[in-house]
Amino acid sequence: MALLPILRYPDPRLRKRAAKVDGVSDRIRKLIKDMADTMYAAPGVGLAATQVDVHLRIIVIDVSEARDQLRVFVNPELLAASGEADIEEGCLSVPGIYEKVRRPGRVTVRALDAAGEPFTLDVEGLLAVCIQHEMDHLEGTVFVEKLSRLKQSRILARLRKQDRRTVEPEARRLVL
Ligand code: GNR
Ligand code: NI
């Protein structure tokens, strides 16, 4: 099992646009496995490759209570979106911050699974929101950037404060 380090907002690498995967090879399947391990360990309900500094269009999601229904999306495409959801989102790249985001509540997505087989999924609720949250990561967008300017600057201030508390006093003196 390999746990991958997760980039933290506002790391500029979170802004990169991910490239299409050109076939699900063994190397890609190993990455998917490591992403799933990292998501479950975090713990989170989803993870985009962008968050582990791999800029390929790969998402893993598990919104099940028992944490036993892993879903893998390679090269996901949104075929349709409708309705409205207003749920509180969190992000492993923005620890401790939770904010409501308005998005379509129902989506139809097409992707390849871990075997490289295409599938289409029509979903609503948390899974639909999570798919969109992860697809945003692949475009270089973190959910914070969908909030008002005021909320964004408050979040940045809170994150800076958290970091100051987490960094060792010794290291802090060095970077001052
Ligand atoms: O763990 C996560 N929870 C979550 C809750 C509501 C909407 C989206 C998410 S995704 C997030 C994990 C993560 O950062 N994925 O990119
Ligand atoms: Ni996220």
Side-chain angles (χ1 to χ4, degrees), residues 9 97 99-102 142-158:
Y9 178 80
I97 306 287
E99 294 282 351
K100 276 193 174 181
V101 180
R102 176 154 308 163
V142 175
F143 84 104
V144 166
E145 292 157 340
K146 303 188 101 66
L147 305 172
S148 69
R149 288 286 171 124
L150 178 63
K151 278 190 177 164
Q152 289 187 44
S153 54
R154 283 179 179 160
I155 287 167
L156 280 167
R158 248 191 284 164

Side-chain angles (χ1 to χ4, degrees), residues 29-100:
R29 261 186 292 275
K30 163 80 164 94
L31 171 63
I32 290 168
K33 172 73 168 61
D34 291 347
M35 284 175 60
D37 289 343
T38 303
M39 173 187 73
Y40 286 122
V45 299
L47 188 75
T50 306
Q51 292 176 279
V52 294
D53 202 21
V54 175
H55 302 280
L56 291 173
R57 306 187 83 78
I58 303 170
I59 290 169
V60 294
I61 294 179
D62 190 342
V63 294
S64 71
E65 199 80 37
R67 315 285 287 149
D68 60 356
Q69 285 171 53
L70 178 67
R71 294 171 186 273
V72 175
F73 302 79
V74 175
N75 297 339
E77 285 174 79
L78 216 54
L79 300 183
S82 63
E84 214 169 76
D86 209 358
I87 85 150
E88 192 151 274
E89 299 193 15
C91 183
L92 295 172
S93 296
V94 197
I97 306 287
Y98 303 90
E99 294 282 351
K100 276 193 174 181

